[in-house]
Amino acid sequence: MNPIQFRKEKETIKAYANYDGLDNESKLYKYKCEFKTYIKNIVLDNGIGNGNVIFPCESWVHSKHENTDKRIFFTDKSYLPSETPVGLKSLREKDLESLRGNGEGERKTFERIYDYDTYNDIGDPETDSDLSRPVLGGEQHPYPRRCRTGREMTSKEPWSESRTGVIFYVPRDEDFSEIKEISFGATTLYSVLNGIIPMLDSTLTDANKGFSLFRDIESLYNDGIGIDLPNNGLLSVLTRLLRAITNTAESILQFATPRIKDKNNSRGIAVEHESAPHGLKLTIEDYPFANDGLVLWDAIKQWATTYINHYYPQPSLIESDKELQAWWTEIRTVGHGDKKDEPWWPQLKTQEDMIKIITTIMWVSSGHHSAVNFGQYDFAGYFPNRPTIARTKMPNEDPTVEEWEAFISKPEDALLDSFPTQIQATRVMSVLVVLSTHSPDEEYIGTNMEPAWAAEPAIKAAFEEFSCRLKELEAIIDSRNNDPNLRNRSGAGLVPYQLLKPFSESGLTGKGVPYSISI
């Protein structure tokens, strides 16, 4: 192996080349290596002294051997379709064509194509008939569409797409970065499901063994489980997700202590009301999700309002924007094809229509998702707080004499018997750790300004105001969590509600609102 390198502005990019044999014609030895190239920006000196020309790319570029089509990048100046310079219109159309699928072919990892399909790949009938699953999407099971991959259909069920390996196609520019793929992604989740869980199954050999004492539950967090850890890279995954302590004798797998356990132990009704804050009157006044969520919603809505009104000062510009209308039509009729004729779909004719649509999309993929996702381990990682299964009935109706006497004598045994088994509990805990963890390079709402926003003074100012409002929300949430009158967020045995605090460190923090849903 010989190292090959080339220089960019600040650092050297390196990769190892593998010997590929002797070229008989040139009599030269051949080496091959692979570079994955990500272009953030292209900056050109315009030569006239009034600033550089910036092309924000934020994109992976493919090899010409994979695809001979050349990539197109535009400057940071935003245009409506009706205002796009004539010389750019054909390039814009060509770029859009490179992103649109046609329902044909299998997608390759280097592609950026967005296409739609039903969820016809949630089962695995080729492996086992018991793993057969219905198709989600269509008249029988209406469901939104997924990103199409185009893999071959199974031989046993021609309507089911095969599951070839763990890699699922995601348009290249939307895929995880390498650091996020390491800390969370298909590979990590696959390691948990196919490495850690079978390892736990082999350690906890009795599938029906429950917890005989409450201190056995405590030991999962305090003492851990002794495991025989294979030397196959699994340790690197474990140390990022769980508290794994390695010594010379054995490896100890410890689960992080959920915050709900530390406190010794994530509902929504509102009506429109003009005089109420944010235009909504809460039926339950002390409702943390709604109270914090409304502040975040308002900040998102104001940011969307300023942005949309800047580029679309008249309703006619929205109705005449072909790209915008095509986008909204695709969402309704293709992305949600089973519901395309429903009467409740909003129209897209005015600025108010667009503000409502954009605000809703931004809220669902940021604040709403964060509130239901990143607290899962905190609330359910200590499974007595939220057991995922009850294995026995509580003896409260028509018990036998023996059952009743046993219950009266030692009621905690009835509770312990109803809890999940050790294997069931640790399986769920392992998955919840993955789902609740922020990656080191998580991008939080209101933190990074797009180059096109920075290039437009009005939009730059609006984003800065948006970012400031999110910082204010952090302080508001801290204040509410310290208010003794708000018993649903600061009472005895409660975890302070901070799921909608916009910013976070990496790891299991129970807070932080990323820009979008990553799984």
Side-chain angles (χ1 to χ4, degrees):
M1 268 189 195
N2 287 352
I4 289 180
Q5 64 187 42
F6 63 89
R7 291 193 174 274
K8 64 176 187 176
E9 183 178 345
K10 291 185 179 179
E11 62 184 274
T12 300
I13 299 176
K14 301 178 181 179
Y16 278 94
N18 296 309
Y19 176 63
D20 196 45
L22 176 66
D23 187 296
N24 292 327
E25 292 184 7
S26 65
K27 303 302 181 182
L28 296 176
Y29 293 103
K30 294 191 302 181
Y31 289 83
K32 284 187 176 181
C33 69
E34 179 180 339
F35 285 103
K36 295 180 179 178
T37 306
Y38 181 84
I39 301 179
K40 184 173 181 65
N41 293 314
I42 297 175
V43 182
L44 303 179
D45 186 340
N46 62 13
I48 57 177
N50 62 350
N52 297 323
V53 179
I54 301 174
F55 294 79
C57 304
E58 302 284 356
S59 180
W60 295 90
V61 293
H62 56 259
S63 164
K64 66 179 180 181
H65 300 293
E66 295 174 326
N67 186 345
T68 57
D69 291 341
K70 295 181 179 180
R71 290 295 307 277
I72 301 170
F73 297 110
F74 300 92
T75 65
D76 56 4
K77 172 64 176 176
S78 298
Y79 298 100
L80 296 183
S82 59
E83 300 171 349
T84 302
V86 175
L88 296 181
K89 286 188 175 181
S90 61
L91 292 174
R92 173 61 176 163
E93 284 298 322
K94 186 175 181 180
D95 191 48
L96 287 174
E97 288 174 6
S98 71
L99 298 172
R100 292 172 179 151
N102 58 7
E104 298 178 359
E106 183 175 357
R107 298 276 71 87
K108 305 297 189 297
T109 56
F110 63 85
E111 291 179 330
R112 303 156 58 233
I113 293 174
Y114 291 78
D115 209 349
Y116 295 91
D117 204 349
T118 57
Y119 281 86
N120 60 358
D121 66 339
I122 56 177
D124 189 9
E126 297 279 41
T127 301
D128 190 332
S129 59
D130 288 341
L131 297 178
S132 176
R133 297 292 184 270
V135 174
L136 298 185
E139 293 183 4
Q140 189 172 3
H141 300 289
Y143 207 76
R145 299 299 187 256
R146 67 176 174 96
C147 186
R148 181 182 173 276
T149 62
R151 294 168 296 191
E152 291 183 357
M153 310 307 277
T154 65
S155 59
K156 293 185 178 180
E157 293 182 356
W159 59 88
S160 295
E161 191 175 89
S162 63
R163 300 178 64 115
T164 52
V166 299
I167 301 300
F168 288 79
Y169 170 76
V170 176
R172 187 64 185 94
D173 287 346
E174 303 302 322
D175 204 358
F176 284 155
S177 65
E178 288 188 6
I179 189 171
K180 189 160 189 172
E181 183 66 36
I182 289 172
S183 56
F184 183 137
T187 302
T188 299
L189 188 56
Y190 183 82
S191 297
V192 171
L193 295 178
N194 296 280
I196 298 174
I197 289 177
M199 181 179 60
L200 290 170
D201 288 355
S202 64
T203 301
L204 307 172
T205 53
D206 187 351
N208 296 314
K209 185 178 180 181
F211 294 89
S212 57
L213 299 168
F214 272 93
R215 67 168 174 262
D216 294 337
I217 299 174
E218 301 288 319
S219 70
L220 289 175
Y221 312 97
N222 299 331
D223 304 324
I225 303 171
I227 56 174
D228 182 17
L229 193 66
N231 186 23
N232 61 358
L234 194 57
L235 179 61
S236 64
V237 176
L238 282 169
T239 54
R240 284 189 298 271
L241 300 177
L242 309 170
R243 291 162 58 193
I245 306 171
T246 305
N247 56 40
T248 55
E250 63 177 352
S251 295
I252 304 298
L253 175 62
Q254 250 184 307
F255 286 90
T257 304
R259 289 191 301 156
I260 195 70
K261 177 183 177 297
D262 276 346
K263 299 296 288 188
N264 294 319
N265 291 309
S266 320
R267 290 216 265 162
I269 302 172
V271 293
E272 293 185 3
H273 199 286
E274 292 183 0
S275 63
H278 318 292
L280 290 173
K281 181 175 177 60
L282 298 179
T283 304
I284 304 173
E285 293 185 5
D286 183 11
Y287 181 16
F289 167 69
N291 282 308
D292 297 352
L294 284 171
V295 181
L296 179 57
W297 170 278
D298 265 5
I300 292 173
K301 183 179 179 181
Q302 184 56 54
W303 161 229
T305 298
T306 304
Y307 190 98
I308 289 166
N309 285 335
H310 176 78
Y311 287 107
Y312 297 93
Q314 294 89 32
S316 60
L317 292 173
I318 289 179
E319 289 195 84
S320 62
D321 189 325
K322 294 181 180 179
E323 287 188 21
L324 181 65
Q325 294 297 331
W327 167 79
W328 182 234
T329 300
E330 183 183 77
I331 287 176
R332 292 182 293 108
T333 64
V334 184
H336 296 78
D338 299 336
K339 297 289 184 178
K340 66 180 186 303
D341 297 321
E342 295 291 340
W344 39 256
W345 282 106
Q347 295 181 323
L348 182 51
K349 293 185 175 180
T350 67
Q351 295 98 323
E352 288 74 21
D353 295 336
M354 190 173 175
I355 290 167
K356 181 179 180 180
I357 291 168
I358 297 298
T359 301
T360 301
I361 292 174
M362 292 175 66
W363 159 254
V364 169
S365 61
S366 60
H368 182 271
H369 173 257
S370 297
V372 300
N373 181 72
F374 292 108
Q376 290 185 84
Y377 187 76
D378 271 340
F379 287 95
Y382 184 63
F383 67 87
N385 187 55
R386 296 287 173 89
T388 54
I389 190 173
R391 295 186 297 135
T392 63
K393 295 180 180 179
M394 297 298 288
N396 60 345
E397 294 182 5
D398 300 323
T400 65
V401 174
E402 293 79 7
E403 289 173 340
W404 184 250
E405 288 179 350
F407 177 67
I408 293 298
S409 174
K410 204 169 184 183
E412 63 269 25
D413 281 357
L415 182 60
L416 287 164
D417 288 342
S418 73
F419 281 160
T421 65
Q422 294 184 21
I423 289 178
Q424 289 170 332
T426 51
R427 279 176 175 172
V428 173
M429 290 160 63
S430 299
V431 175
L432 291 181
V433 169
V434 180
L435 295 176
S436 304
T437 298
H438 286 296
S439 71
D441 69 337
E442 196 86 88
E443 185 173 340
Y444 298 99
I445 190 168
T447 52
N448 294 339
M449 187 181 301
E450 295 288 330
W453 303 344
E456 193 70 34
I459 300 301
K460 181 176 184 289
F463 180 82
E464 289 172 344
E465 180 184 354
F466 175 54
S467 184
C468 286
R469 293 192 67 182
L470 297 180
K471 292 173 183 176
E472 291 172 0
L473 175 56
E474 292 252 313
I476 290 171
I477 291 174
D478 286 337
S479 175
R480 288 173 172 174
N481 284 332
N482 291 322
D483 187 342
N485 296 316
L486 299 178
R487 303 303 299 274
N488 286 337
R489 62 196 307 156
S490 63
L494 290 179
V495 172
Y497 190 84
Q498 53 182 9
L499 288 169
L500 289 171
K501 292 187 74 171
F503 316 115
S504 173
E505 308 82 33
S506 62
L508 280 167
T509 65
K511 61 182 178 181
V513 180
Y515 260 121
S516 62
I517 300 169
S518 57
I519 57 171

